[in-house]
Amino acid sequence: MANTPHGGVLKDLVARDEPISAHLREESLSLPYLVLTERQLCDLELITNGGFSPLEGFLNEADYKNVVENLRLANGTLFPIPVTLDASQTDIDRLSIASGSRIALLDPRDEEALAIITVEDIYKPDQVKEAIHVFGADDPAHPSVAYLRNRVKEFYIGGKVQAIKAPAHFDYVALRYTPAELRAHFKKLSWRKVVAFQTRNPMHRAHRELTVRAARQRQANVLIHPVVGLTKPGDVDHYTRVRVYEAIMQKYPNGMGHLALLPLAMRMAGPREAVWHSIIRKNYGATHFIVGRDHAGPGKNSQGKDFYGPYDAQDLVIKYHDELQIEMVPFQQMTYLPSTDEYQPVDEVPKGVQTLDISGTELRKRLRTGASIPDWFSYDAVVKVLRESYPPRNKQGFVLFLTGLHNSGKDTIAKALQVTLHQQGGRSVSLLLGETVRQELSPDLGYSADDRHENVHRIAFVSAELTRAGAAVIAAPTSPQERSRQLARDTIVQTGGSGANFFLIHVATPLEDCEKTDRHGLYAKARRGDIKGFAGIDEVYETPEGVDLTVDVTKQSISEIVHSIVLLLETNGLL
């Protein structure tokens, strides 16, 4: 029998509002609208299909504050992650958003109306407090803190939604189950105990052994429930991962396991995320949930230490066990015993017995170099999928993102680099110069801070598309804002596939030298006020963070700079 939904009732808003969906769709045509971000789209899908039960919309201010501070909605129900709809002051003014307004929420992929929100309130959150309470620190090394700083707008809109339709998906449709559908599937097969396994990574033999062992110990079935929404930047793309999951499902005992996809935008919030995942799997009908060491942890902080302790997630789930009403299964680290050709939990291996393991870093190295991956570690079918999606390093694409003041020499460096990389051969080489791209890609944009930011976003989008196909991309916008450079990095790392190799190069030629050699007199015009928003004059050029290489044409020749960049690529195995 499937588990009781969190809060007692599955909030399937698509089913609830189906009788009036045609009316809502008609109404949406005359309403002001917001085009959702990718994260908001994932959140809306799980609000409207019941995955986030008991939520019926985006958090209002009272719920938001209580979730941030106490892991609870205002009515006391346990809920650890703020699910919010952010908007800018421009959005609010343009749409005349106020309490009581009805706003259509559009799918960013096709601008189809998915839902209508009735606004309860508009509030300005304390995003620093949100970062500290929810993620443990206001540290931009945490991907969700970086997202909060660079991508989230300054206001949140709270209110319940009415569902017009579920978002359309064209990939792996047969594997996409709503909570109601998955519950019906369990009922049809008489699955009374279901152990859910969360993953955002490819699965190998150890994962199969772990989940089979957990199911057999509890006389249960296994739900492999991977995240296919937003995960950590740099993760393996979901298309590759799903092909891996499909291959490994063939290795489960007949009838034991089932694969279903979860359209979740992860926050990598460690302990809080583990509680959130438990609630979501409970809503999908699971009775047990595997929680690993450092569950949903983002890795190292700015000081090089783990954001969360290895057992913090398990401890927090245990703390709320009575309210969660889902049994936590502690993740058992598995290791291979060559003497018996089997996997065993590390803490059950007798002292002195030889064990073998391959770390994630070692696996990525073997994929990159083409080195063998032993069959005791993974299955041939899994390795085949990974090798198809992740060619050797010297066949992968990359982006060289040059940033610097106007006339710093970045365009000259970029052109020289293009010639050098053409000479190397093996890849197509695309050059995206700031002003050239602006004329061709962004003629509708001006030179305000927001327009500059959007221009860099478009450059990053094109760069990610090219590098995913194996191209070398040299992008050279001025990009004076750190938020724009971070957005470019995130966009490429998240969507560039095996070509998500991003290098930030600061062309740090001093302002006085850029101005002195400016033959076109743009700096002079900016100082007279004829040009507004000119980086280095009346707009601050923010010193780049996380730079891979800093160069200066007053100290190095163009040839020397190009050679140093080529060495950077060679050091990273890309040439």
Side-chain angles (χ1 to χ4, degrees), residues 74-106:
N75 65 7
T77 302
L78 180 68
F79 205 89
I81 299 291
V83 178
T84 53
L85 179 65
D86 58 293
S88 66
Q89 183 68 63
T90 301
D91 293 328
I92 293 167
D93 294 341
R94 174 176 58 86
L95 303 176
S96 301
I97 302 175
S99 179
S101 298
R102 284 174 65 77
I103 309 294
L105 303 178
L106 307 191

Side-chain angles (χ1 to χ4, degrees), residues 13 23 33 35 144 184 222 237 246 352 371 505 510-512 518 540:
L13 307 188
H23 171 76
Y33 61 84
V35 178
S144 284
V222 175
D237 69 274
E246 289 178 318
I505 299 167
L511 173 62
E512 54 269 27
D518 177 21
V540 174

